[in-house]
Amino acid sequence: MKVERDKQRELLHILEENSRRSAETIATMLDTTVEDVRETITKLEKEKVIIKYPAIVNWEKVDADDLVTAMIDVKVTPKREVGFDDIAERIYRFPEVQSVYLMSGAYDLSVVIEGKTMRQVAQFVSEKLSALDSVISTTTHFILKKYKHDGVILEQPEDDKRMVVTP
């Protein structure tokens, strides 16, 4: 690896903030060569450290069918020798499921799903998720509005352009 470990971490932060930056720009930011940046990125992609380069879309500004997003708290009974991994894998294989997280606290798994309607989400919970033998209980929370997603503020408030008048 040509880029030292501290610079590699900095490179990952740069890509996480804006993955569209050119190798030339990143090389300048890290005070290294373009070739070193490209080699390091290729290596990190092969090692699955860099998994994907997503765009963040504010879907509320797009004329499209709105999807309903829900966060579901799930209590489960872990299985001997595999713990929570087996049930988490069964859950994340459903196409509606966007994310699954192992949590500490009052529930075990946090599941994020998307559906076309609240009814479709409710059917997923009652017919698929709750039907799994390890699932003890679920609590569903519907997302009403997103203000910030993956570290990005979706709508910045506009500055008040009125002139201040004092008596």
Side-chain angles (χ1 to χ4, degrees):
M1 173 174 62
K2 300 272 184 178
V3 175
E4 63 189 55
R5 200 148 199 76
D6 288 341
K7 285 190 179 182
Q8 181 177 328
R9 289 182 65 82
E10 194 173 342
L11 167 69
L12 290 169
H13 285 291
I14 289 168
L15 289 173
E16 190 174 47
E17 180 186 319
N18 181 356
S19 62
R20 295 191 59 150
R21 284 196 173 111
S22 68
E24 292 78 11
T25 302
I26 295 170
T28 302
M29 293 170 77
L30 296 176
D31 193 28
T32 190
T33 67
V34 174
E35 181 180 304
D36 286 348
V37 168
R38 287 189 176 130
E39 282 180 23
T40 303
I41 290 172
T42 300
K43 178 182 179 289
L44 293 169
E45 289 170 343
K46 285 181 183 173
E47 292 174 350
K48 302 279 189 230
V49 173
I50 298 173
I51 299 168
K52 191 176 178 182
Y53 297 96
I56 297 173
V57 178
N58 185 351
W59 288 106
E60 291 180 7
K61 294 191 175 264
V62 179
D63 288 334
D65 293 333
D66 289 332
L67 292 176
V68 175
T69 305
M71 298 179 77
I72 306 164
D73 304 337
V74 184
K75 287 185 183 181
V76 299
T77 304
K79 291 187 176 180
R80 187 178 302 245
E81 296 183 23
V82 292
F84 296 100
D85 295 345
D86 184 59
I87 188 67
E89 182 178 351
R90 290 176 65 193
I91 292 169
Y92 71 61
R93 294 208 179 275
F94 289 114
E96 301 92 337
V97 174
Q98 303 300 305
S99 305
V100 177
Y101 304 100
L102 178 62
M103 306 297 290
S104 64
Y107 55 94
D108 303 307
L109 298 173
S110 179
V111 179
V112 179
I113 74 161
E114 287 185 345
K116 291 182 180 177
T117 63
M118 289 178 126
R119 182 180 184 90
Q120 188 181 47
V121 170
Q123 283 180 314
F124 169 81
V125 173
S126 64
E127 296 172 9
K128 294 180 180 179
L129 188 59
S130 295
L132 296 173
D133 54 341
S134 296
V135 173
I136 298 169
S137 69
T138 64
T139 304
T140 303
H141 310 274
F142 289 97
I143 295 178
L144 304 176
K145 182 176 180 177
K146 291 181 183 178
Y147 295 98
K148 186 174 183 178
H149 182 75
D150 286 341
V152 177
I153 297 170
L154 297 178
E155 287 190 41
Q156 294 284 355
E158 291 187 25
D159 292 336
D160 190 353
K161 306 239 189 269
R162 296 178 292 177
M163 187 183 311
V164 177
V165 179
T166 56

